[in-house]
């Protein structure tokens, strides 16, 4: 029998949305262990520091027994190999996600052929959701309570001062 799969779900999660959470819930049913890994990206200017993004993810995923939250720097495939993960999980919302995701998956495969990227299609009810839109709406005073978990909503309020 093959060993249970370890999968990495990498992303910025700035902040976590219900779309990410849906992917975590569905992905966690497919693998033995799912590691949600926050990328410490030096190029993007984030709203939340990594530690806070990790904290919000932890608070929002306590009900999943096979989900772990971590953060990493450097190449995703090196981190995946270090965690002995055979799979990278990513989500696709629309055709606009596809091109960048394809490029990343092919590059990652070239660097580490043993690691497969698998994609889950976003659920219809979350397919319009992105961290960027959540931040934009919250900044403009809109109600994002139906787009993000409660732990995120609370911190967004504090951060944006509304
Ligand atoms: P990145 O900066 O790496 O794209 P994100 O946090 O924006 O990080 O997204 C991480 C992953 O989650 C990506 O594969 C993205 O396509 C996916 N994702 C983002 N929002 C949704 C959503 N609403 N439904 C499903 N997947 C999503």
């Amino acid at each position: 029998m093959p060993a249970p799969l370890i999968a990495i779900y990498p992303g910025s999660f700035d902040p976590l949305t219900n779309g990410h959470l849906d992917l975590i819930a569905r992905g966690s049913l497919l693998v033995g262990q799912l590691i949600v890994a926050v990328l410490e990206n030096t190029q993007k200017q984030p709203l939340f520091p990594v530690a806070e993004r990790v904290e919000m993810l932890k608070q929002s995923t306590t009900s999943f027994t096979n989900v772990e939250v971590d953060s990493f720097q450097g190449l995703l495939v090196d981190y995946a190999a270090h965690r002995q993960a055979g799979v990278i999980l990513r989500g696709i919302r629309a055709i606009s996600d596809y091109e960048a995701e394809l490029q990343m998956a092919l590059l990652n495969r070239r660097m580490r052929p043993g690691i497969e990227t698998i994609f889950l299609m976003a659920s219809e009810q979350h397919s319009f959701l992105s961290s960027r839109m959540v931040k934009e709406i919250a900044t403009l005073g809109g109600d994002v309570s139906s787009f993000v978990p409660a732990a995120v909503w609370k911190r967004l309020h504090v951060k944006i001062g509304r």
Side-chain angles (χ1 to χ4, degrees):
M1 212 164 92
L5 271 182
I6 301 175
I8 309 273
Y9 176 30
S12 310
F13 304 106
D14 184 40
L16 171 71
T17 69
N18 288 339
H20 293 128
L21 209 53
D22 178 63
L23 218 77
I24 293 170
R26 290 161 55 209
S28 69
L29 297 176
L30 302 175
V31 297
Q33 189 191 4
L34 181 63
I35 302 167
V36 184
V38 178
L39 169 64
E40 300 190 24
N41 191 338
T42 47
Q43 278 167 19
K44 282 190 188 172
Q45 191 57 255
L47 178 64
F48 291 99
V50 170
E52 217 173 335
R53 282 181 262 159
V54 165
E55 192 55 37
M56 289 186 280
L57 268 160
K58 282 186 176 164
Q59 288 172 343
S60 308
T61 56
T62 48
S63 59
F64 304 108
T65 52
N66 64 339
V67 172
E68 179 193 326
V69 182
D70 194 10
S71 61
F72 72 102
Q73 291 177 321
L75 278 180
L76 169 61
V77 284
D78 290 345
Y79 172 72
H82 163 70
R83 298 301 314 261
Q84 295 178 319
V87 165
I88 294 167
L89 174 69
R90 295 285 288 178
I92 292 197
R93 284 160 291 189
I95 195 81
S96 48
D97 279 340
Y98 176 78
E99 215 168 305
E101 292 292 343
L102 173 71
Q103 190 180 18
M104 246 185 314
L106 293 180
L107 279 169
N108 285 337
R109 188 195 289 159
R110 178 64 71 92
M111 289 185 281
R112 292 260 184 185
I115 299 175
E116 283 291 353
T117 304
I118 62 170
F119 296 98
L120 288 179
M121 294 298 157
S123 302
E124 304 98 270
Q125 71 267 37
H126 301 305
S127 61
F128 58 89
L129 256 183
S130 69
S131 300
R132 190 173 64 83
M133 292 311 287
V134 163
K135 283 183 278 194
E136 207 160 309
I137 294 169
T139 307
L140 295 171
D143 178 12
V144 294
S145 57
S146 61
F147 301 151
V148 296
V152 174
W153 187 76
K154 282 189 203 129
R155 283 181 197 244
L156 260 176
H157 256 260
V158 173
K159 181 73 78 183
I160 288 167
R162 286 179 192 274

